[in-house]
Amino acid sequence: MRIRSLGVIDDAVVELSPGFTAVTGETGAGKTMVVTSLGLLLGGRADPALVRIGAKAAVVEGRIVMRPDAPAALRAEEAGAELDDGALLISRTVSAEGRSRAHVGGRSVPVGLLAELADDLVAVHGQTDQQGLLRPARQRQALDRYAGDAVAVPLEKYAAAHRRLRAVAGELEEITTRARERAQEADLLRFGLDEIAAVEPLSGEDTELAAEAERLGHAESLSSAAQVAHAALAGNVEDPEGVDAGALVAGAHRALESVRSHDPALGALAERIGELGILLGDVAGELAGYADDLDADPLRLAAVEERRAALTQLIRKYGSTANGVDSVLEWAEQGSVRLLELDGDDERIDELTAERDGLRLELSALAQALTDARNEAATRFASAVTEELASLAMPHARVTIDVRQTEDPEGVEVGGRLVAYGPSGVDEVELLLAPHPGAQPRPIAKGASGGELSRVMLAVEVVFAGSDPVPTYLFDEVDAGVGGKAAVEVGRRLAKLAKSAQVVVVTHLPQVAAFADRQLLVEKTNDGSVTRSGVTVLEGEARIRELSRMLAGHEDSASARAHAEELLEAARSSE
């Protein structure tokens, strides 16, 4: 990794060994910034406070070697990234204003992609994780992950059934608790639909009736106007001497017809006047028919007005004036659908009740399968952790995992008892420790001293790491509180883990650092920063001096140097 302008680090390069790398240095020298840098590359939260004072942005770049068919490589390729000679280049930039950018394989990507890649690349085990694993919920999650498919498969089915049960129970409760409200709603809908059905409105009927009422209300004036217009166009039989438009047009046509052969232009006009005469005749005929058909029927007018009043009442109650009868018909259609739903409540209640009971039986069976799988995994997990503790200078300690349930009369039946259940099953999982023979197993937070707790948690982390398919493990001072022979055993155990994976350990213990394949020293310059030369690979005399400092507080102590050389020799001989 290359780290620039991050915390106390100005510009530094961190070269990690394929096996076991130990990162050491004085307190406050910037060892934690190495862990923070890796966290940023893994999609961690971008805190602008991490940016070095005076810098515009902090930048972390990493080069990760992996197989082309590795899950992380395939996921990166999906995002458009490319491997560079078998390595994936990742960078993360955090500005002083808080903006964050990420690049993978030369392609700008969302920061969330880094977190996705991290799941397949690095497992971080630190002091924060220790505190997290003290909580029973985290212990259950760790056990489930350790168990693998034996728990994952039934847990997925259980979670789906649990979600469906909650949905069914919620709908059932809503229907039953709102039964009175729904009955009242059904009565109102039924009344409205009956009222509309009694009137039997038709689409657009109100518009047609309004036009008919207007015509019937002015029948006499409409008839008189039609008769006057007809007389003006076709003449009045009672006044044979009167002049009408039809006669005048006919005279004009005759006058032109007699001379049209002398001038084509005048002939064209004669034809147009002839067409005008035909049109006048047609209109006159229609006016005569209109006047004959128009009937000033008071009874029909009264019936129309009565029908309009009935439709207006429906529109006022169930529709809108803008859309008239059509809005009433739309309300009736929607009301019919809703009424079917409400009338089907009893049937729906029966269906939901049957489904709920079936889901509870299914949950019981799946919960039992989960409990059985967890118990089996707990035995293996506890045995593996106990074995690890023996190699960490706690040969008489015994770890057990308590998988228990809480009785609940409203719960599901498991093992002949009604027990409380949740999204993850019915089990409560707790890690117990008996530090010596005859001691009662107690929760690890209460049953272990500070040094014992670190070793127990390291053993848990190592066993848990064994179930992780990732190639790299980062341990951030998980050896805190450990010293002496126990510290030597911690170093030996981490070196053993590094035979099958890359292990990076930030430590203050020389006993642990002595087992590393590569030791990195983080140190500040006189101005308080860590520069490019501030992270160095220690070899030979330099490594002995650093181990001496870690042992005695200063590197020139002859006895410390002798002890440091002894530690290195012991670590090499144990390989």
Side-chain angles (χ1 to χ4, degrees), residues 7-150:
V8 299
I9 298 180
D10 178 29
D11 190 344
V13 175
V14 179
E15 300 179 14
L16 304 177
S17 167
F20 180 4
T21 299
V23 181
T24 64
E26 293 278 7
T27 300
K31 299 189 301 296
T32 302
M33 286 298 101
V34 175
V35 179
T36 302
S37 299
L38 188 56
L40 286 174
L41 286 182
L42 301 179
R45 187 175 69 88
D47 186 354
L50 295 173
V51 180
R52 184 170 173 78
I53 296 175
K56 294 182 178 180
V59 181
V60 181
E61 299 167 303
R63 183 176 184 272
I64 304 176
V65 179
M66 64 181 67
R67 302 189 321 274
D69 60 345
L74 297 177
R75 180 65 186 92
E77 287 180 357
E78 290 179 4
E82 296 181 359
L83 292 182
D84 179 19
D85 193 22
L88 187 64
L89 303 180
I90 299 178
S91 70
R92 180 82 180 275
T93 304
V94 180
S95 71
E97 292 78 24
R99 293 188 299 274
S100 173
R101 298 194 307 274
H103 291 80
V104 175
R107 178 65 61 89
S108 177
V109 298
V111 173
L113 177 65
L114 299 185
E116 291 183 39
L117 298 178
D119 290 339
D120 297 315
L121 292 175
V122 181
V124 179
H125 304 283
Q127 291 177 312
T128 302
D129 301 290
Q130 280 192 11
Q131 298 302 317
L133 277 173
L134 293 179
R135 298 195 299 269
R138 284 290 303 276
Q139 293 174 12
R140 187 193 65 233
Q141 294 172 5
L143 178 63
D144 288 354
R145 190 167 179 180
Y146 176 81
D149 288 344

Side-chain angles (χ1 to χ4, degrees), residues 214-229 287 290-291 294-296:
E214 184 72 13
R215 187 170 62 254
L216 290 172
H218 299 83
E220 292 185 2
S221 57
L222 292 173
S223 178
S224 176
Q227 290 174 1
V228 171
L287 285 172
Y290 176 85
L294 191 61
D295 185 12

